[in-house]
Every structure is written in structure tokens, then in C-alpha cells.
Amino acid sequence: MALLMVLFSSASCGGDRMVIDGTAPEVFDGYNVYLVPRPYPKESEVDSTVIRHGRFRFSVPADSVRICHISISRKANHPYEVLLVAIEKGTLEARLDTTSFCHGTPLNEVIQSWKEKMSDCGDKAFAVTMMMNSTSDPQANAMLSAMRDSIYRSANQFTYRLILDNPNPVGGFIYFSNRHAFDSLETAEILNRVGEWVPKLPQEHEE
């Protein structure tokens, strides 16, 4: 009977989990790293651990998908990029650095592909802006401005399609973070597809 009780207890304490195996430059050794729920973190829901020898690990429940970010204590005072992640069953390899990234689970591959596309478009738009600033030729500026607008449209269209293809918390959060980029028709289609996963606005969240 005692053995059966132990087995039952072990099974009931199990459940789906996500393991995040992370690395960071050793300059961050000894500092806390945080797993913070988005978009409205509560202190009681924030998980933390310490970076040691350039490594850290989280093991968290993953019975339902939720969006978090991984950040390092402000006391570290070294540049790095906050990393957006989806908590889902599986193992995630994460790197915190000046350009942070992660790989290993399906929804995090979606986030990573979106992040890489936005970074690429941002770099291209910046390069075009610098070219615009270096010329006083109105015709050249008009051409460059049109080129930059095309880059922005490409980023918005990529985001729009990614959201529609992901009726889940990832699609909902990405829409929530970029909701002002879409016109009324796009917004209606997005909400029809992913509305149940879109975080509430602050005033709705408080009610």
C-alpha cells in the first residue's frame, strides 16, 4: 500500500514541464536571471536563479502555454538583449547576449523567426535612413523613402501572416505588442482568428 501511495504521489506531482538551459557571457556570473510573465508580471509569479560559470537553468510547469521574458538583474550593468520566450513542454536552449536567441520548441522557433525578420528589416531600414541623411537630392530621397516604406510593409506583412498562422498565445501576444500597426480590416481578421489569446488591455486586466 505504501508503494502505491508513493507512486500515486509521484504521478500527481508530475505534469508537463519546460526546462530552459541558458548561457550568458561570464561577465554576468553571480547575477540573478529572471523568468518574468508578460505582459503584466506579478512579483509572486516571477522565477529566478543565478548565473554561474556562464550558465543558468529554469525548470517550470508547462501545463499551459504562456509568454515570458528572460532578463538579468539591473545590477549587472552590462549590455544584453531581453529574450522573449513561450513556456511550453520541452527543452529550450537560450542564449543571453547583445543579440539573444533561443531554439528547441515549436512556438519558440516561431518567436525566433519573427525576431530575426524584424531585426533584418530594422537593419535594412536603418541603412536606408542613413543614406537619406547623406544626400540632399530630392529625387534620391524620394526613392529611398519609398524603399524604406517597402521594408516597413514587408515587416508588417510578415507579422500579420505569422499572427494568423498562430492562433495561440504566441500569435495573441505578438498582435497585442504590435496592434497599432494594423488597419481595421486586418485587426478584425486577426481578432476573429486569435482573439481569445490576445492579452487584455490594462484597464480590462484590472477589472
Side-chain angles (χ1 to χ4, degrees):
M1 177 65 73
L3 177 60
L4 287 175
M5 290 182 67
V6 169
L7 290 173
F8 177 78
S9 175
S10 297
S12 63
C13 292
D16 294 338
R17 298 191 72 80
M18 166 170 264
V19 173
I20 301 174
D21 283 322
T23 61
E26 291 197 8
V27 70
F28 292 109
D29 273 11
Y31 290 103
N32 285 349
V33 58
Y34 301 97
L35 186 64
V36 183
R38 297 290 306 271
Y40 307 114
K42 295 180 180 178
E43 187 175 352
S44 61
E45 298 173 347
V46 175
D47 201 352
S48 67
T49 187
V50 177
I51 300 171
R52 300 192 187 281
H53 306 295
R55 305 192 67 87
F56 62 91
R57 169 176 277 211
F58 291 102
S59 179
V60 294
D63 298 314
S64 60
V65 176
R66 62 191 187 279
I67 306 301
C68 294
H69 75 237
I70 303 175
S71 60
I72 300 172
S73 171
R74 294 179 181 176
K75 295 178 181 179
N77 198 29
H78 294 287
Y80 78 98
E81 181 181 44
V82 172
L83 182 63
L84 188 70
V85 297
I87 303 302
E88 60 179 333
K89 181 181 178 181
T91 299
L92 187 68
E93 302 289 335
R95 173 69 178 178
L96 296 182
D97 211 326
T98 50
T99 298
S100 297
F101 58 88
C102 63
H103 292 289
T105 63
L107 291 179
N108 282 293
E109 295 297 338
V110 170
I111 293 174
Q112 185 64 29
S113 71
W114 176 70
K115 176 187 169 184
E116 290 173 0
K117 177 67 173 181
M118 296 304 104
S119 178
D120 180 62
C121 288
D123 289 345
K124 289 178 179 177
F126 178 77
V128 173
T129 298
M130 295 302 291
M131 293 169 65
M132 292 172 65
N133 292 340
S134 67
T135 180
S136 58
D137 182 351
Q139 187 173 2
N141 256 306
M143 182 184 69
L144 290 168
S145 180
M147 186 184 301
R148 187 175 60 181
D149 289 345
S150 177
I151 295 169
Y152 291 149
R153 284 194 301 272
S154 174
N156 286 345
Q157 190 62 25
F158 184 91
T159 300
Y160 175 66
R161 292 309 316 172
L162 182 142
I163 292 168
L164 293 180
D165 289 343
N166 285 275
N168 54 52
V170 169
F173 183 82
I174 290 177
Y175 165 71
F176 178 81
S177 301
N178 298 272
R179 59 192 181 277
H180 300 302
F182 304 108
D183 63 32
S184 58
L185 291 178
E186 291 170 331
T187 296
E189 185 173 2
I190 288 171
L191 292 179
N192 183 57
R193 187 80 64 90
V194 304
E196 64 181 289
W197 290 284
V198 176
K200 294 180 179 179
L201 292 170
Q203 62 269 28
E204 298 172 327
H205 180 72
E206 294 170 359
E207 291 176 356

